Amino acid sequence: MALATSGSAADAPAVLSAPARARRFRGPRRGAGGPDRWSGGSAGQRLMQHLTPWLFLSAAVGLLLLFTYWPAVNLFYFSVTDWDGIDLTKNFVGLDNYVKVFTDPRIFSVFGVSLYYFIATFAQMAIALYFATILSFSTKFQNLFRGILFFPYLINGVAIGFVFLYLFQPGGTLDTVLSWVGVTDPPKWLGDPNIVNWSLAGTSVWRYTGLNFVLFLGAIQSIPRELYEAAELDGASRFQQFWALIFPGIRRIIGLSFILAVAGALSVFEIPFIMTGGANGSATFVIQTLQTAFAFRQVGLASAMAVVLLMIVLIVTVIQRRVFPDDKVDLT
Amino acid sequence: MARKAIGALALITVAGLALAGCSGGGGGAGDADNTIDGEVKGDIKVMTWRTDLIADGTFDKYAEEFTAKYPDVNVTFEGITDYAGEMQTRMSTTNYGDVLGIPTISPDQYDQFLEPLGKTADFEDTYRFLPASSYEGTQYGVAFGGNANGVVYNKKVFEEAGVTEVPKTEDEWLAALELIKDNTDAIPLYTNYKDGWPLTQSFGNLGVVTDDPDAPITMAENKAPWTEGTDVYAIDSLLYDSVAAGLTEEDPLTTNWEQSKVDLATGKIAAMTLGSWAISQMQAAAEDNGASADDIGYMAFPATVDGKQLAVVGGDYNLAVSKHSEAKAAAWAWIKWVVEESGYTEAQGMISPVLSKPLPDNLAGFTDAGVELMEINPAPAGKESLLADTANDSQIDLYGPLYRQKLVDIARGAADGDKDSYFAELNERWGAAVDQLAG
């Protein structure tokens, strides 16, 4: 049984042209220049040769500076002003906005909502790990199931929001399905303040499990085949193989997923924003930042909130790197 | 080493050029001949929130009629669905059309973005609804149309429930809704909580409870406006008490504005607190769904002062000329033409901002019921943006849905507290902002 669908030369796609096929199977063509083709030439060519890597780099780095670092610098600048988002003058107010972020209890209390998403990430990783393990062994309709599991991640977040909005409606899809199994009095999935965040977190799990799944699957398949064979010869069960081989083998990718999940839980945005607009106690920190900037016209304060969130995510990541050091995995 | 430095320099230059490309621009807007009194010619772009009127060709027809009168002008339109939100971002550029509806920027910022149109005093004989776009005696915009504020309702449902007279006080209102709940299948009051903005509409009634044409300033200077006897207390109480009595939709988190129009028209919803602009949309929904346009009624906010009922009339978006326009005279000519001659307000059932024009037919019910129309006075100099500033500073979004959604949540038992505790919290936050701003 092949480990992966890609990479094995035997089932190369039929669309390759005949010469390409020839190159692929007979190695590089000879006599077309060889490795020392570039070493000669005039001074201009040499200059080009030196400049080429920089030219390639400049496009990518230029875009990075323009669209990531320059806005970030602007954000820091706004965060020390009292700008309302429109006025042509921005007054410098020093650290006032930061003081307000840390002293106004209303700003920080919304981090409680992130806890729901944080807890949900455990379910998300468990489901992803379970299916990644099962589907890395020989299973019926293996590729179909892989596709099904990854599919939600490919759907646009806005579309998912709307789909689940209908699902959670009173008398909607979910209630209908539950009525088949005898649940006659379902709760209001979005209207009940005790349930709304679980509903939203559940939607988030549905959406991101596919991503975790693919990461885990890839990692599991990088474990050498012989180890499984050896384990099977030793009479290890599937579960023992999981604990002794797979789990330690993909520890690093689990650690990475965990960091992404925590950062994601802190900065949840589109699902609650689309489905409830942050109403009914489902506002997250990012939604609140957005409201501060555009509903209350306090772009300065909102920028400070964004900077603080960035710092928190950085700190969480650093702590996690300490707790889960980036050690080499050794399976031998 | 030197090679590396050159490379790095090249890179920084590229990045610098890319950044420089973002600023700059403009040109022509500062031309001395380019004033609103100049020659009417050039290309103008009209920004609009009425995407439906672009789609059905109404605006193209306007443009045709306008260019028949001013052949040197070429009019184009840009429709924006999320007009309020998107225009706020657009205002930080120089590219926000030649004619625009003024988004929510505070009056003291008008001169940064808009071309002054003249002294407010010179407009007063011709136009209504001037205060919203006037600052320190200078006029920056003219309303495109005006609305009355009140409640749109389904007459048939009210009749079926046995409500013979439209409610004139909050008690009568609650009693009427209770009758509807008991005697019909309709939802008595639909909040449109999920869509949010319909919740803000009842704020337009500010002033009718106390018969105070200076209500916005009164509120901006009151340290505890959520106290019995004030306008905002009555407006928010009506919502709170209706929700608390179970007279609104079952799950507010799944409301749907488009569907609500059909439901009101067909009698599944009895009432919604919306401006009179909604009447024509409800009537259209009624006719599209097999009901009669005559079923749609409009009543004043249920409050009575000294035996009379009042309704605030106010302007919709105000049309203004961009400071960065290159054809200011043409832009101003368009505004005057579209407001006075296009027939927009008549077609939309809105109140014309031109004083000499009659009230629309759909407010006939108002006149029959003896409802008096009132206009809010202009804010005194220096206080034009006081209410908005206080709202922003206290983070109570008078013009947005957030604090009212919380109010609904508390009323339906989905959040902690009760009416008194929430109003006390609002008063505390508002009071702190008033201390800072109004002094």
Side-chain angles (χ1 to χ4, degrees):
Chain A
M1 185 60 219
L3 270 175
T5 50
S6 61
S8 53
D11 39 57
V15 289
L16 284 180
S17 64
R21 207 181 265 271
R23 270 204 303 283
R24 187 156 176 178
F25 293 119
R26 292 189 202 127
R29 277 191 295 168
R30 270 157 297 180
D36 55 356
R37 190 152 52 107
W38 291 102
S39 55
S42 65
Q45 258 178 331
R46 258 206 305 276
L47 182 67
M48 271 315 288
Q49 196 186 338
H50 289 309
L51 273 181
T52 306
W54 290 106
L55 288 174
F56 273 108
L57 255 183
S58 61
V61 176
L63 288 174
L64 184 73
L65 288 175
L66 182 61
F67 291 114
T68 304
Y69 289 95
W70 181 246
V73 169
N74 263 326
L75 188 75
F76 278 105
Y77 167 55
F78 294 154
S79 73
V80 291
T81 68
D82 65 351
W83 195 39
D84 68 350
I86 282 183
D87 210 295
L88 297 179
T89 54
K90 306 176 183 72
N91 303 314
F92 180 77
V93 295
L95 292 178
D96 281 10
N97 288 325
Y98 289 94
V99 172
K100 198 162 178 192
V101 170
F102 287 105
T103 50
D104 188 341
R106 270 183 294 141
I107 292 180
F108 255 84
S109 60
V110 289
F111 271 118
V113 174
S114 288
L115 278 179
Y116 291 93
Y117 296 91
F118 179 65
I119 295 168
T121 59
F122 288 98
Q124 179 180 318
M125 299 230 275
I127 296 168
L129 195 55
Y130 177 73
F131 283 110
T133 311
I134 288 184
L135 290 177
S136 62
F137 293 110
S138 171
T139 318
K140 263 194 187 137
F141 305 117
Q142 198 176 21
N143 285 334
L144 176 73
F145 284 121
R146 287 177 182 177
I148 288 173
L149 279 164
F150 187 58
F151 178 63
Y153 185 69
L154 298 175
I155 308 177
N156 183 292
V158 178
I160 293 180
F162 280 111
V163 167
F164 275 81
L165 208 52
Y166 284 104
L167 183 91
F168 286 133
Q169 240 163 24
T173 321
L174 185 59
D175 290 356
T176 312
V177 171
L178 286 177
S179 71
W180 294 341
V181 293
V183 181
T184 50
D185 193 20
K188 292 198 201 88
W189 299 107
L190 295 175
D192 187 331
N194 300 316
I195 292 175
V196 60
N197 282 318
W198 290 120
S199 303
L200 296 174
T203 310
S204 172
V205 168
W206 185 83
R207 176 167 186 206
Y208 289 105
T209 299
L211 177 67
N212 281 154
F213 167 74
V214 167
L215 289 177
F216 292 155
L217 191 70
I220 290 173
Q221 291 183 343
S222 70
I223 297 171
R225 199 75 207 129
E226 301 81 45
L227 292 174
Y228 294 113
E229 281 164 16
E232 249 161 66
L233 283 179
D234 288 344
S237 69
R238 283 280 192 248
F239 189 72
Q240 284 167 326
Q241 285 182 27
F242 176 80
W243 267 122
L245 277 179
I246 296 176
F247 191 74
I250 63 167
R251 208 170 54 215
R252 282 172 67 184
I253 211 81
I254 292 178
L256 175 74
S257 299
F258 197 67
I259 292 172
L260 290 176
V262 172
L266 288 170
S267 50
V268 180
F269 171 63
E270 49 188 26
I271 286 174
F273 187 75
I274 291 156
M275 292 178 64
T276 64
N280 200 19
S282 64
T284 63
F285 194 74
V286 181
I287 291 179
Q288 206 187 29
T289 306
L290 205 72
Q291 288 171 351
T292 309
F294 299 109
F296 305 120
R297 319 307 318 273
Q298 297 172 343
V299 173
L301 178 61
S303 301
M305 289 168 73
V307 171
V308 168
L309 179 65
L310 177 67
M311 293 303 162
I312 292 173
V313 171
L314 283 179
I315 291 167
V316 167
T317 310
V318 167
I319 292 174
Q320 277 180 333
R321 301 300 289 172
R322 289 276 151 77
V323 178
F324 304 104
D326 191 8
D327 51 53
K328 266 239 167 279
V329 175
D330 190 8
L331 287 173
T332 50
Chain B
M1 196 65 212
R3 228 188 298 137
K4 268 187 189 163
I6 291 169
L9 200 70
L11 211 142
I12 290 166
T13 319
V14 168
L17 282 176
L19 293 179
C22 291
S23 53
D31 193 341
D33 294 337
N34 182 15
T35 63
I36 55 165
D37 304 322
E39 205 181 330
V40 178
K41 63 171 176 135
D43 297 341
I44 56 168
K45 186 193 265 182
V46 177
M47 313 294 286
T48 184
W49 57 98
R50 290 303 299 264
T51 47
D52 54 332
L53 296 187
I54 292 182
D56 71 6
T58 309
F59 276 159
D60 284 339
K61 213 180 77 220
Y62 288 173
E64 231 168 76
E65 288 170 29
F66 179 73
T67 41
K69 194 172 174 186
Y70 299 102
D72 297 334
V73 185
N74 179 29
V75 189
T76 51
F77 300 96
E78 183 176 343
I80 301 178
T81 318
D82 175 22
Y83 187 83
E86 203 169 303
M87 276 305 272
Q88 281 188 4
T89 341
R90 284 285 277 274
M91 297 308 276
S92 59
T93 70
T94 57
N95 173 18
Y96 42 87
D98 298 283
V99 175
L100 67 153
I102 306 177
T104 47
I105 56 179
S106 75
D108 57 7
Q109 294 168 337
Y110 285 163
D111 64 343
Q112 297 177 13
F113 303 100
L114 309 172
E115 188 69 17
L117 303 177
K119 295 223 170 312
T120 303
D122 298 338
F123 284 82
E124 276 167 355
D125 296 336
T126 345
Y127 291 108
R128 299 174 196 264
F129 313 134
L130 295 173
S133 53
S134 137
Y135 182 68
E136 292 183 337
T138 304
Q139 197 63 31
Y140 289 91
V142 175
F144 197 5
N147 298 299
N149 287 283
V151 182
V152 56
Y153 70 104
N154 189 311
K155 289 180 189 168
K156 233 172 150 180
V157 176
F158 272 61
E159 271 167 36
E160 203 182 314
V163 182
T164 47
E165 268 187 51
V166 291
K168 292 196 166 107
T169 62
E170 196 192 316
D171 290 339
E172 287 177 24
W173 164 264
L174 291 173
L177 293 194
E178 201 69 56
L179 274 176
I180 292 166
K181 189 185 180 189
D182 295 343
N183 298 342
T184 70
D185 294 329
I187 298 168
L189 173 71
Y190 199 70
T191 63
N192 263 309
Y193 172 103
K194 163 70 172 50
D195 288 285
W197 62 264
L199 280 175
T200 67
Q201 292 269 313
S202 62
F203 186 65
N205 292 300
L206 197 74
V208 300
V209 182
T210 53
D211 189 8
D212 176 10
D214 295 311
I217 292 301
T218 312
M219 179 170 179
E221 291 178 340
N222 186 346
K223 286 184 188 177
W226 278 273
T227 309
E228 196 151 8
T230 68
D231 286 293
V232 73
Y233 180 89
I235 291 168
D236 284 342
S237 287
L238 191 79
L239 177 63
Y240 184 97
D241 295 338
S242 304
V243 176
L247 300 169
T248 52
E249 66 269 22
E250 191 192 358
D251 186 354
L253 265 295
T254 49
T255 64
N256 178 340
W257 161 246
E258 288 301 329
Q259 183 60 36
S260 75
K261 289 195 277 191
V262 178
D263 288 351
L264 187 116
T266 54
K268 285 183 195 142
I269 292 171
M272 292 199 253
T273 46
L274 295 172
S276 64
W277 56 265
I279 302 173
S280 59
Q281 296 197 20
M282 299 299 171
Q283 287 173 337
E287 272 167 3
D288 291 347
N289 291 282
S292 164
D294 295 335
D295 295 346
I296 309 298
Y298 200 68
M299 63 168 128
F301 185 83
T304 306
V305 211
D306 303 330
K308 66 179 174 184
Q309 261 198 306
L310 296 159
V312 173
V313 291
D316 197 351
Y317 275 108
N318 281 258
L319 300 183
V321 178
S322 162
K323 209 180 172 82
H324 301 284
S325 168
E326 288 175 29
K328 288 173 185 165
W332 177 223
W334 167 265
I335 294 178
K336 279 196 290 193
W337 182 83
V338 82
V339 166
E340 293 173 14
E341 293 175 41
S342 69
Y344 170 81
T345 48
E346 288 86 347
Q348 300 298 320
M350 294 170 91
I351 302 169
S352 171
V354 182
L355 276 168
S356 56
K357 295 204 177 176
L359 286 177
D361 296 338
N362 57 28
L363 293 179
F366 262 27
T367 351
D368 297 345
V371 175
E372 283 180 31
L373 302 185
M374 71 183 284
E375 263 193 71
I376 296 299
N377 288 338
K383 291 182 178 174
E384 285 91 345
S385 59
L386 189 60
L387 185 66
D389 289 347
T390 314
N392 287 340
D393 191 69
S394 59
Q395 297 211 347
I396 297 171
D397 57 331
L398 293 178
Y399 307 98
L402 301 178
Y403 97 88
R404 291 185 188 89
Q405 285 180 331
K406 183 88 187 288
L407 187 75
V408 171
D409 285 342
I410 294 172
R412 67 198 180 91
D416 293 336
D418 56 20
K419 184 168 144 185
D420 291 339
S421 70
Y422 190 53
F423 279 10
E425 185 200 323
L426 291 174
N427 276 336
E428 191 192 318
R429 276 156 63 182
W430 189 264
V434 170
D435 279 338
Q436 246 179 26
L437 294 167

